[in-house]
Every structure is written in C-alpha cells, then in structure tokens.
Amino acid sequence: MSKTIAETLADFIHDATYENLPKEVIHQAKRCLMDTCGAIIAGSFHSKSGKVAQSYAKTLEEPQTATIIGTTLMRSPQTAAFANGIAAHALELDDGSRHATYHPGSSIVPASLAICEAEGKTAQDLITAIAVGYEVSIRIGKSMNPHHYLRGFHPTGTIAHFGTAAACSKVLGLNIEEITNALGLAGSLASGINQYEIDGSLVKHLHPGNAARNGILTALLAKEGLTGPKGIIEGRLGFCHCFSDEYDISSITEGLGAQYDILSIYFKPYPSCRYVHYANEATLNILKEHPLTPDDIDQIHILTHKNAKQGSDIPDYQTVLHARLSIQYGIASILVRGKAGLQEYTEDAIKDPRVREIARKITIEIDPEIQKLYPNPRSMIVEIKDKKGNVYSSRVDYPKGDPENPMTDDELIEKFVDVTGQVISKESQAKVIENTLRIAPDARVKEMMKLFRFEA
C-alpha cells in the first residue's frame, strides 16, 4: 500500500537534520527568524491586536516556560506562541509565499520559538524546525492556490497549521507515526476565513496566532497517542477536497528534500498587504519620471489578477487594517505624502481627506493576460491619467523583496532597525540581530529569548 501525503511529509520531517539542510536554506531560515522577530517586536508595541493578546495572557495562570515578546510575561508555550503569532501579523510586516498566498513566518516562527524555549533546545533545533515548517506548509499551499484563497479562506490561518505541526513535531522528536498523526490533527483544527476583508475587523491577526498555538497542541497530543487521519490532505473528505475547488496533489511531494520552497518566499519593505506593494512600486516608478502632484490627477486605473482584486480593491477603507489591505490607500498615501510606512497607517493618518480624495479616483480591473501568468509573476499595471489627458503607466512583476528582486541581509537589517526603533534601544537591536541572523548552532534558545523580555 502506497504512503499517503501526510506519511511522506512525516518521513521528510523526521529525517531532516540541521547538518543535511543546504547552507542557503539555513541562512534563509535565519533571515526569516530575524525578520519575524522584528515584526513581533513592532506588533507588540504598535498594534491593538498585540496589546489585546498580551492582556489576555495576563489573565491566565500557567507554567512560565515561554516568553511573550514585548512583555516580561512568561506563560505556556501555547499561549506565548498565540500572542506572538498575533503580534507578528498585526502590522502586515511578515514574510510570505506568492505561490501559496500565505504568510508562514507569523505562525511557524512563534510556535518554534515557544516550544524550543520550553523544551530547552538549541538554535540548530530552532532553525531545523523553521525550515521543515515552511517547506511542508508552502508545498500544501501551492497545491491549492489560488482556488483555496478565492473560496474565501485565509491560508495564514489554514495552511499554517500544517507548518506549525511539522515544526513542533520536529522539536519534540516525534516518530514518523506520531508526526503523521500531528498533521492529521492539524488539518482538522485548520481555520480562517477572509470576511475581515469586507469590514476591516482585527480577526485577521488571530489566524496565525491560532495556528501557532494549535501546532504545539497537535504535536503534544500526537506524542500522547491521539490519532489523526493519515489521508488528511488528499483523502475523499480531506483538507484539499474540503477547502479548495482545484488542487494538484502530486506537487506537494515533488522534489521534496531536494528543492526548498523557503528560498522562494518574499520579505516586505512596506507594512501592508503584498498586493499593495506592487501598486506602491509602480506608482513610485511613474513619479520618478513624472513628478505629479495630487492636484494633477484625474484618474488611476489598475490592471491585475483575481486575488489582488478580491483582497485589496478597497476604495472606502474603514479601519487601519482595511487601509493596510487597500491598494487605493497605498497609492494615495504615496501620491499625497510620498511614503506609505508605519506612520502612514494610524487611526489619524487614514482619516486624511486628501488621501481619501485620491483613493476614490482609483479603479481596479482583472486583466486576462495577467491572470494567465498567475502566480509567477503576480503582475500589476498602474495607469495614472492627469487632468491634461496624459497617461503614465508602470508594470511591476517582481516587487522589492521577491527572490527575483531580493532584499539583501543589510536591507533586512535596515528594515528591522526601522520597525523596532521606537520599541527597543540600538544596543538591544544589535543583540537581537546577532542572536537571530548570525546565531550559532549550539546557542540556547532560552538565552536568546531573554532579549525579548521587556515592557514595550
């Protein structure tokens, strides 16, 4: 009898070691670690969601074995992963996979940090867990994209469960049968829908926190003997069938262990939905050649793919989260203020009438030729028409941060320093960078986590 997808993935998870991971995968996992930690630190201080998670954690009486970043609190690994996962996603700073329409870092890194800290593990355990978590979840996400997302699911709440279960199973040293069970349990707990795109509610941030917590839970339950369906992924009533209209099962295991999807993720230079980055970059390209002012603008038209239209066509944004998702807001902020960074995404900033006036002039259309190419590239064309009738256009296929247009280590460090600047000192920033991007394999995660205990 042939192995199920979950059993094949379990073999990969079980056999993976720090020593047999390619050097570039190890380095990329460290980049993901530093970048996500920066997002958590910033989210713990700047976001309402992060503060709510901290307040919730304070009400719990639990063993103090894992750090809630941006506080002096220690709670169970499940609660720490939950709170840190919420903070990681709260400012839209977290990494992502265009192939899976998914943000792996905001769940896998918090789960891996919490379980490694609680279990007394080393950096090589942490990095290995992150690597297998990204690999398993991105592969499943790729097999279902874009249909899973277009049905209304948020992959950062659904697909993520497989990644966190994989990572935590690795840290806990589960055998192949136990790992298979953990993946089976994770598939049944997976949840997250995109209704927040309609009203801008903060539930979006809950999704990776929930996945981070549940990854630890499923691994612990599997270790105790609780079983999950071996056919959780491809089965007649399994995850792919229930969560997507179309999927490609064979792609999940093709090249497994030889090709690593963690190398294909993107990092974010802007604190907004990735689709907004394409629009921002195209607008900036136009302004370099044609320094238009808001008063010059007659109308703006966007040509792009279905996912961007569904998730980010939000001209009448109602909340800060809504604005982070809105292509209209990103473009309008750049045209009015010249930038769209953290300071442009506040309650006061999104009320700016000048920005709203420009946002109302922006329309978005699905382009059949662009849709044919999706997801590689996920192109976007911005056309700006001025009041004299001139039309200026720019197309972006690979915005800054994509592997085809990468952020260097120095640029990731610059981003980390920028987003954490109001939260921790320069000395602390340097220590975190040294203990994430440059961490030695034998370093203790417990020692590293001491750097994250402070009142944000």
Side-chain angles (χ1 to χ4, degrees):
M1 186 174 178
S2 61
K3 291 182 178 179
T4 67
I5 298 296
E7 288 173 315
T8 302
L9 293 173
D11 285 340
F12 165 74
I13 296 163
H14 180 268
D15 294 344
T17 65
Y18 187 84
E19 290 75 21
N20 69 21
L21 287 173
K23 289 182 179 178
E24 62 268 27
V25 170
I26 291 173
H27 182 63
Q28 183 79 320
K30 290 179 179 180
R31 282 159 55 90
C32 295
L33 174 61
M34 180 187 71
D35 190 64
T36 305
C37 286
I40 298 171
I41 291 169
S44 73
F45 178 77
H46 290 292
S47 75
K48 180 178 180 180
S49 301
K51 295 299 185 186
V52 168
Q54 292 167 14
S55 295
Y56 165 72
K58 286 178 183 178
T59 69
L60 304 177
E61 295 184 8
E62 296 181 334
Q64 299 184 19
T65 55
T67 301
I68 297 176
I69 293 174
T71 74
T72 56
L73 296 174
M74 294 188 72
R75 291 293 185 267
S76 70
Q78 291 97 316
T79 297
F82 178 70
N84 293 337
I86 289 173
H89 196 49
L91 301 179
E92 294 288 335
L93 288 165
D94 43 337
D95 63 30
S97 165
R98 68 170 180 260
H99 301 283
T101 319
Y102 157 54
H103 300 284
S106 53
S107 58
I108 293 169
V109 172
S112 300
L113 284 172
I115 196 70
C116 281
E117 182 181 13
E119 295 292 321
K121 299 296 184 176
T122 64
Q124 69 179 14
D125 299 311
L126 172 64
I127 297 303
T128 306
I130 291 171
V132 299
Y134 273 66
E135 197 61 29
V136 166
S137 56
I138 293 174
R139 283 173 169 271
I140 295 171
K142 280 200 314 181
S143 76
M144 303 168 72
N145 185 37
H147 311 285
H148 178 56
Y149 174 85
L150 292 174
R151 275 189 68 169
F153 291 107
H154 186 206
T156 303
T158 56
I159 301 297
H161 279 72
F162 294 106
T164 56
C168 296
S169 294
K170 186 63 187 175
V171 173
L172 292 172
L174 302 191
N175 63 38
I176 292 172
E177 183 180 1
E178 291 167 339
I179 297 170
T180 303
N181 283 326
L183 294 173
L185 297 171
S188 283
L189 292 183
S191 183
I193 53 177
N194 284 333
Q195 183 65 19
Y196 61 81
E197 293 176 349
I198 308 304
D199 61 9
S201 54
L202 295 178
V203 69
K204 181 178 195 281
H205 306 152
L206 181 66
H207 295 168
N210 187 48
R213 176 179 59 190
N214 284 344
I216 296 173
L217 175 63
T218 54
L220 289 172
L221 291 174
K223 185 178 181 181
E224 293 299 320
L226 196 64
T227 60
K230 294 178 180 179
I232 185 64
I233 295 167
E234 77 279 23
R236 183 171 62 86
L237 300 175
F239 186 82
C240 286
H241 171 78
C242 293
F243 282 72
S244 188
D245 295 322
E246 295 181 33
Y247 45 87
D248 178 8
I249 292 297
S250 64
S251 67
I252 299 175
T253 55
E254 184 178 353
L256 183 64
Q259 301 165 8
Y260 284 85
D261 282 288
I262 192 172
L263 301 176
S264 70
I265 67 159
Y266 61 77
F267 295 95
K268 284 185 172 183
Y270 297 103
S272 53
C273 174
R274 186 58 170 173
Y275 302 137
V276 179
H277 293 210
Y278 291 74
N280 289 357
E281 201 163 295
T283 303
L284 288 168
N285 290 342
I286 291 170
L287 293 178
K288 285 177 186 176
E289 299 292 328
H290 310 282
L292 301 165
T293 69
D295 291 336
D296 296 325
I297 307 300
D298 179 30
Q299 61 185 43
I300 300 170
H301 191 58
I302 311 292
L303 298 170
T304 190
H305 51 85
K306 290 179 182 177
N307 286 46
K309 170 74 173 174
Q310 176 171 302
S312 293
D313 184 1
I314 308 174
D316 186 25
Y317 44 87
Q318 300 298 313
T319 68
V320 172
L321 172 62
H322 236 185
R324 291 188 191 279
L325 302 177
S326 169
I327 286 171
Q328 285 90 344
Y329 182 83
I331 290 176
S333 181
I334 284 175
L335 286 169
V336 171
R337 305 161 177 147
K339 53 187 178 177
L342 279 178
Q343 298 308 311
E344 284 66 57
Y345 289 94
T346 65
E347 293 287 353
D348 288 337
I350 70 167
K351 294 174 184 175
D352 190 327
R354 301 171 301 162
V355 176
R356 285 199 177 271
E357 183 180 355
I358 295 296
R360 293 189 189 101
K361 297 182 178 183
I362 302 172
T363 55
I364 300 176
E365 176 186 353
I366 297 168
D367 181 86
E369 294 305 312
I370 288 176
Q371 188 61 45
K372 285 180 185 177
L373 297 173
Y374 181 93
N376 189 22
R378 301 192 299 184
S379 305
M380 188 174 293
I381 299 170
V382 173
E383 299 174 341
I384 301 179
K385 181 181 178 181
D386 69 16
K387 291 177 179 176
K388 296 179 180 178
N390 300 308
V391 177
Y392 309 104
S393 177
S394 175
R395 175 179 179 137
V396 172
D397 292 326
Y398 300 107
K400 187 67 175 177
D402 269 16
E404 295 83 359
N405 185 13
M407 292 180 74
T408 65
D409 286 0
D410 285 344
E411 287 171 329
L412 279 178
I413 289 171
E414 185 179 341
K415 172 190 171 182
F416 176 90
V417 170
D418 178 53
V419 303
T420 63
Q422 290 181 266
V423 191
I424 57 177
S425 67
K426 289 184 179 180
E427 181 183 2
S428 294
Q429 288 175 330
K431 287 180 180 178
V432 172
I433 293 165
E434 190 66 27
N435 283 274
T436 52
L437 185 61
R438 305 186 184 108
I439 193 166
D442 60 350
R444 311 302 298 188
V445 176
K446 278 187 178 181
E447 291 302 309
M448 180 182 76
M449 295 307 293
K450 291 178 181 177
L451 298 172
F452 299 112
R453 284 182 222 144
F454 54 85
E455 290 291 346

